[in-house]
Amino acid sequence: MVYRFRVILDTAEDVFRDIEILKTDTLEDLHNTIVQAFGFDGTEMASFYLSDDEWTQGEEIHQFDMSGGDDSIRLMNETTLDSVLSEDQTKLLYVYDFFNMWTFMVELAQIAEVEEGRDYPNLMFVHGQIPSNAPDKEFKAEEDPAADENFNDDFDVDDYDSFSFDENWN
């Protein structure tokens, strides 16, 4: 079987690629296909994240094992597409280049039969040009109701001269 994806760059302009790839290929294969389809050089790190219907970021699937021996992480090259995607689980987030945060919404649009004579992965459709710079991201932390209690130390952080030596020492 073949998975057909629409990979959408999270930007104001419509920029997407339609890709088809074998369901038994790995997330690393999909990563390489996305990198090529959008014209990146492939030298930056990336990750996939499982996602729900609202595009909420879930479990990370790493490109490289930098865990220091943590066996609980999942790696792209060990994770097949059909092990994380199905008709019920159709969405992934993909982040390329963690300094610039190129963020993509990857949606499984169709599961189809393999076509004889076609090479996979296959770039089916291209729409829009990728901007020269990654779109700005705005990150919002969840509100912590205990934050006010934890950081209420009753001293003026702007008046450093009144701190004793021990309070200034790092």
Side-chain angles (χ1 to χ4, degrees), residues 121-141:
N122 178 39
L123 178 59
M124 299 170 47
F125 186 75
V126 173
H127 180 82
Q129 295 296 319
I130 192 163
S132 56
N133 295 312
D136 290 333
K137 295 285 173 237
E138 182 178 325
F139 295 98
K140 295 181 183 177

Side-chain angles (χ1 to χ4, degrees), residues 59-76:
E59 177 189 357
E60 180 177 8
I61 302 173
H62 305 260
Q63 184 177 13
F64 301 109
D65 185 354
M66 297 174 34
S67 67
D70 182 2
D71 293 335
S72 66
I73 69 163
R74 293 170 81 176
L75 298 175
M76 287 183 200

